[in-house]
């Protein structure tokens, strides 16, 4: 276990619209192999204000990989091998609340996982582990992201539940209403099992869920229109790049291990070794 006290290495997983981080110095794309298969793309190594950074476009450059086919295990494993301590996950999402209008950045603090066809653990037969997902988001990263968004005047909301759906189709009206009745605030297709795997890999993880649309529950938006989403998405992508530039220097140095325990999650996991 590597404690996240001391020098962090910040990983950014870019979602729809975020395929590169221009602001990085000494940029180089480099392949990182994983025993879990191929990550979505090469990793972009660089630095920002002296902080080491690694960027990975979740869907690959050119948006080639749909949400259910992203190799989440390979992505998280590759970032871990690259030395990443903290992951900022940037993703497009739909909104279930009138007040969370398109353009709002939601720093979610909970997830409901409704994905059904994805590999969700690094553990399995031979080595079983059960980690806690009670508090899936790193509070230190969440604090820093909220403050950075506020300083940039990006509309930001702290907290909320992200419903992770399988996709690639958007929700039916009945599903959209159901998730609202569950008190979910936003919906997307990619943050699970990403958040679970980051926790298993003992990495701090926080999501910036960038609202592109109201999903279909909203009376004035009775279908999710891709053209509208893309327009908002491009503006969100610009804001996301500014957010990363602003937040990373704030994460430069810290004296303590993660207050949420992300960096030693396995210490408290129930693990059954084969010959225990
Ligand atoms: N990503 C962006 N908008 C979405 C929506 N309405 N549902 C699921 N994923 C989304």
């Amino acid at each position: 276990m590597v404690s996240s006290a001391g020098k962090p290495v910040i990983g950014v997983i870019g979602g729809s619209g975020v395929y590169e981080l221009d602001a990085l110095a000494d940029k180089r794309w480099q392949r990182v192999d994983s025993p879990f298969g191929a990550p979505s793309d090469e990793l972009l190594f660089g630095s920002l204000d002296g902080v080491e950074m690694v960027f990975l476009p979740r869907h690959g450059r050119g948006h080639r990989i749909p949400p259910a086919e992203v190799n989440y295990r390979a992505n998280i494993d590759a970032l871990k091998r690259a030395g990443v301590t903290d992951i900022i996950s940037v993703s497009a999402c739909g909104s279930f609340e009138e007040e969370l209008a398109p353009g709002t950045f939601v720093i979610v603090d909970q997830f409901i996982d409704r994905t059904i066809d994805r590999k969700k653990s690094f553990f399995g037969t031979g080595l079983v582990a059960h980690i806690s997902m009670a508090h899936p988001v790193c509070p230190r990263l969440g604090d820093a992201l909220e403050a950075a968004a506020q300083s940039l005047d990006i509309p930001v909301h702290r907290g909320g539940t992200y419903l992770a759906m399988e996709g690639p189709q958007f929700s039916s009206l009945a599903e959209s209403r159901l998730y609202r009745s569950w008190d979910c605030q936003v919906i997307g297709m990619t943050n699970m099992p990403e958040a679970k795997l980051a926790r298993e890999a003992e990495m701090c993880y926080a999501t910036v869920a960038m609202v592109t649309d109201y999903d279909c529950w909203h009376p004035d938006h009775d279908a999710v229109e891709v053209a509208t989403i893309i327009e908002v998405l491009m503006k969100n992508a610009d804001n996301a790049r500014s957010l990363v530039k602003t937040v990373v220097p704030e994460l430069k140095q810290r004296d303590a291990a993660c207050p949420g325990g992300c960096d030693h999650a396995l210490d408290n996991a129930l693990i059954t070794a084969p010959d225990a």
Side-chain angles (χ1 to χ4, degrees):
M1 187 265 288
V2 181
S3 164
S4 67
K7 263 196 159 181
V9 179
I10 307 298
V12 176
I13 301 180
S16 306
V18 187
Y19 307 109
E20 156 95 74
L21 281 184
D22 298 334
L24 297 193
D26 307 318
K27 281 189 287 186
R28 66 214 176 271
W29 288 95
Q30 202 174 306
R31 199 176 103 181
V32 175
D33 292 323
S34 162
F36 295 98
S40 297
D41 206 326
E42 294 176 330
L43 272 51
L44 178 65
F45 290 79
S47 66
L48 198 55
D49 200 26
V51 181
E52 271 185 71
M53 295 211 40
V54 185
F55 172 78
L56 176 60
R58 184 185 287 115
H59 301 281
R61 279 167 286 180
H63 204 113
R64 296 169 288 106
I65 310 170
E69 280 164 44
V70 169
N71 188 336
Y72 294 95
R73 293 197 303 177
N75 285 356
I76 297 295
D77 180 61
L79 291 170
K80 183 79 181 179
R81 283 168 197 273
V84 168
T85 54
D86 298 52
I87 297 177
I88 298 170
S89 161
V90 175
S91 325
C93 70
S95 163
F96 289 129
E97 307 254 357
E98 187 84 53
E99 307 76 62
L100 303 178
T104 306
F105 282 17
V106 185
I107 318 292
V108 302
D109 59 3
Q110 285 295 330
F111 296 97
I112 292 178
D113 187 1
R114 291 256 304 173
T115 64
I116 50 173
D117 192 19
R118 304 175 186 193
K119 296 239 167 60
K120 300 194 180 189
S121 178
F122 291 116
F123 298 95
T125 307
L127 183 56
V128 179
H130 302 282
I131 51 147
S132 169
M133 285 299 291
H135 303 288
V137 170
C138 174
R140 180 165 62 190
L141 273 183
D143 287 346
L145 286 164
E146 182 185 18
Q150 280 167 346
S151 77
L152 290 165
D153 280 330
I154 297 170
V156 63
H157 180 85
R158 183 74 184 274
T161 300
Y162 174 115
L163 187 297
M165 64 178 290
E166 183 69 13
Q169 303 82 2
F170 292 114
S171 305
S172 68
L173 181 55
E175 287 166 333
S176 195
R177 287 179 174 156
L178 176 69
Y179 304 148
R180 261 168 69 75
S181 78
W182 289 354
D183 197 26
C184 296
Q185 277 65 50
V186 294
I187 181 165
M189 301 181 189
T190 55
N191 276 209
M192 280 292 174
E194 201 173 83
K196 288 175 174 168
L197 293 164
R199 179 58 55 83
E200 283 191 348
E202 299 193 306
M203 295 151 97
C204 295
Y205 180 92
T207 290
V208 181
M210 308 182 298
V211 177
T212 53
D213 59 272
Y214 274 118
D215 208 54
C216 60
W217 65 272
H218 196 291
D220 302 338
H221 303 263
D222 69 340
V224 178
E225 302 246 352
V226 172
T228 321
I229 291 187
I230 287 175
E231 204 182 300
V232 183
L233 198 128
M234 289 309 164
K235 176 149 190 284
N236 285 349
D238 283 345
N239 278 341
R241 282 185 279 267
S242 305
L243 183 67
V244 168
K245 249 195 274 180
T246 304
V247 79
V248 166
E250 300 302 318
L251 297 168
K252 201 175 231 172
Q253 192 64 48
R254 56 276 190 105
D255 326 313
C258 171
C262 309
D263 56 359
H264 52 269
L266 289 173
D267 291 2
N268 303 313
L270 190 60
I271 303 186
T272 323
D275 45 7

